[in-house]
Amino acid sequence: MVKRTTGMGFKSLQAKLATLVVAVSTLVLLLFSAYDYVSVRHQKYVELETFTQQLAARSARTLLRPVWNVDLKAVESIIASELSDRRVFAMFVLEDDGRTVFTGVRNDGTRLAAIPLDETKDMLLYSEELSMDGQYIGSVLVMVTPEHVRKELLDQVIATGARTIALVAVLGFLILYVARRIVIRPLQRLSDTTHSIAEDKIYMVRAEKTHDDEIGSLVDSFNEMLERIEARDQMLNNRRKHLEALVSERTAELEEARRKSEEASKAKSEFVANMSHELRTPMNAIIGMTDIAEKTKLTAKQHEYLKIIKASARSLLGIVNDILDISKIEAQKLELEAIPFDLRKTLDEVTDLFGDRVSEKGVELVADVESDVPNSFLGDPLRLKQVLINLVTNAFKFTDRGEVYISISLASLEQGVAGLDFFVRDTGIGIAADRQEHLFEMFTQADGSTTRRYGGTGLGLAIARELVNLMGGEITVESEEGKGSIFRFSVPLRLAERQETRQYELPPEIWKHRVLLVEDNRSNRSVIERMLASMGMQCDSLENGAEALAVLERDASRYGLLLLDWRLPGMDGLQVVERLLAQKVALPPVMLMTAFGRESEVERAETLGIKAFLLKPVKIASLHRIILETFGFAEQGGDTVPEGLDMKEFNGVRALLVEDNIINQHVAREVLQSEGMTVDVAETGRVALDLLEDHTYDVIFMDLQMPVMDGFEATRAIRAMPKFDAVPIIAMTAHVMTEDKALAQSAGMNDYITKPIDRLLLFSALRKWVGPHRKQKADEVSPDGIAPEGLVPDRAGQALSSDTQAQGGASGTPIAPVLPAAGTGNGNGQQAPAKSMSATPRSLKDVLTVPEEQMPVCSEKVPLPKSLPGLDIVEGVQRVSGKEWLYLKILEGFLGAYGGSMVDFRALYEAGDKEGLSRKAHTVAGAAGNVSAKELRLKALAVEQAAGKGSDGLAVLLDALEVALEEACESMRTVVRMCSEE
């Protein structure tokens, strides 16, 4: 259907045509009217001039005799008769001098004594002489006004305008009427047809032809165009259908490809996760055994070796994480920690990793920290160390001689934030200028050949850049081929609240001994000189063995200590000593600097009487310790004490542990007590609130999922009490999902630690929220020393929930414990350590409250195995600070509490109590994690998640859980029997 348009806007053709007609007609008529006006005006003024001349001539004739006779009355009478014509403004009779007025009268009857010159501007003036017999006697002056002419012209203009408007209106209407019929209507119909086709997309419609003129030709052309469009539209429709079929086919292919890609990505993620798990497991064993070994009696050198092993293992774990970091970076999910750390220890851990590189390649490694750089910062030491390791690894990879120099300096210090500048310089092959801008891109190498010659994936520098950017800094490179490279990065780090200050001072007795330092590397020599100066010792430096030989041959008694590098140009350090000894020179104590792993050098040096050895790169702590040992002084608090936690750091700190699982209670409590803390235990949030009414705590550890009142509700209740606003609450739970962390934070918890408990993370959190040496006020302890109501004191005077026995008795059948039977002793009234399984069953609470001296311990002849099916024993012992007796106690407690828990699981499943099933699985998973029964923990977590979501397949998951539980419990029984039979 053709739609008619009725728009009459100014932009329409009809409006434009009407405007044009009116404008042209008006213009033409105005031109004619103007011409007529000019003509009439000229004619009127000519008539007025003629009238003025005739009036003057007539008046002169009639006034001649009266003026001659000086008949004033007759003169005025004649003038008055002439002034009756309103065109005459005034008349004057002038005397013969032409200026003096004989008489003058204005048309309003006013006599005038002079000519009003100011009123003569628009007047017509005409003068006629008065002569009598040829004698001039005066003149007549006539003043005529054109006012009546103007009035006539105005009336004429108004009349002409009215006629023009009427004529234009009639003419315009006629023109528009004709134009509308002949032009506008056909065009309007054509326009309506065009709009209709554009809106409806119906190209079969044709425009109607009404005239055989230009418009008719336009309609014919338009209809021809429609025919072509219709044919093309039909062709496009056919092609569109064909393309839609192709798109559907390609979409199906892309969907299939996407599905396969997602499956491949999932398989890749699972592979990466599995590989990460497989690599972490042996690393955890290495770290765990190192932790255990560090707690034994060792020499300082053994401690140093263990530190290097542990730092290397932790670094390897970080390198394993690089694979995960790549995917995290691409997904923008890489996050940084903010924990206290010692910058110099972090740098030492980095340099320790490269001792073998120094030994193998003969490249010096120098680490230099400016003296004004603070020690302790808040940040992510693992990521900072990862950046340094990547840069130093890269430097060693491309450096075959010379040195790798690490430097840290303080760029700024404002409002507790330090700007640190790091740079790693090498003397390697350098990097071409055209490769430097792409150097920090993934999978990019210095040049095409370096991958084959030097190896590497090209990920290290890319990860380093992303980590530096996340820390709020930037990284750059300067390099020249053949001269080496300098990698610089700057990061802002917030200062830790507690700054550890180490004063490496020496006794005054040592200051008198002057040091002779022989070191060929200028950077290393400069760093060692500053170290010695900071200890108060004077030092002379030489750069080769020949110079040292000459100086010592001349006067060896001048020096009290010889600090000698083994690798020197021309003559090495040992050759210098041999030459001097051969010459019977009395040498001062000699300290030999050597690379890690040079055992042959050490043996050769010992045959020469050298007892002090210093590993490169030189650390001030090691230098300080060896100097003290050399001069017979024992170092106070030096490297002979294993690095790690300060054993008195948390003395006096009182903690409330809110945990319903008795196994978890004792693991957490023993770990906290081992660091000097006082711990009270509450098995529910309700009990915790009751305790808080009468006691004050420095920190609260809160489980999330508990009966009666869970951790979220308990935390909100605690935060509602104003006096506990400042008490930190740390979540300690097996829940690891991001939403759980968000819920904990919204409830008012300050931090979040996952189970199984990692001691380093636990005490890092304590340092952050509690700090060291927090003492309780005297009024916070009960005056009678009695534990709070509802708690039973254990051996160490700590509180153990009296209700936790129910967990063991209700959850399974207690096994025959490895504890001594009641009444057994050693003859002096003391309990003797058990050596065999007792036939007297004990409750779970009794098992866990047995003193350490009554627990069995596996002998060195039959040590604990590293692992059994379903049980990682090394990791389990590590979780309880290396205390085997405590681990055995927890294993037996687990067997008593959960050995027969499948009865409860089956009963809950049959009753349809999925909430109770989820809670029970959560409890078993937490306990399994604390004894390092990893497979059992995973199966219990799967049951917990499936029951919590109401998923199907619980029966299958329970069957898998039963298998894992039986396997783990059998391994636990094996361990218990093995130690009890000793």
Side-chain angles (χ1 to χ4, degrees), residues 650 652-658 672 677-680 692 696-702 719 724 726-732 750-751 753 762 765-767 769-771 774 776:
F650 297 104
V653 174
R654 189 168 185 177
L656 175 61
L657 175 63
V658 188
L672 296 173
M677 297 178 65
T678 301
V679 184
D680 290 343
L692 288 169
T696 303
Y697 297 95
D698 295 302
V699 63
I700 300 173
F701 294 98
M702 183 73 68
R719 290 307 184 206
F724 296 120
V727 178
I729 301 177
I730 301 175
M732 187 181 287
N750 302 88
D751 214 329
I753 299 174
L762 172 62
L766 276 172
R767 289 190 189 95
W769 296 108
V770 178
R774 288 283 297 271
Q776 291 295 318

Side-chain angles (χ1 to χ4, degrees), residues 180-190 210-211 215:
R180 184 175 177 80
R181 288 178 59 86
I182 298 175
V183 178
I184 294 176
R185 284 184 178 176
L187 291 178
Q188 191 171 28
R189 283 194 294 269
L190 183 61
T210 56
H211 299 84
I215 295 178

Side-chain angles (χ1 to χ4, degrees), residues 313-330:
R314 293 190 183 279
S315 178
L316 182 56
L317 280 177
I319 295 172
V320 170
N321 287 335
D322 281 353
I323 302 173
L324 300 177
D325 289 342
I326 295 170
S327 50
K328 287 181 181 179
I329 289 171
E330 292 176 346

Side-chain angles (χ1 to χ4, degrees), residues 288-307:
M289 294 302 293
T290 305
D291 284 337
I292 294 172
E294 280 188 322
K295 297 182 182 295
T296 62
K297 293 182 179 180
L298 301 170
T299 65
K301 184 172 291 187
Q302 288 172 330
H303 276 300
E304 187 169 0
Y305 291 158
L306 286 176
K307 284 193 301 179

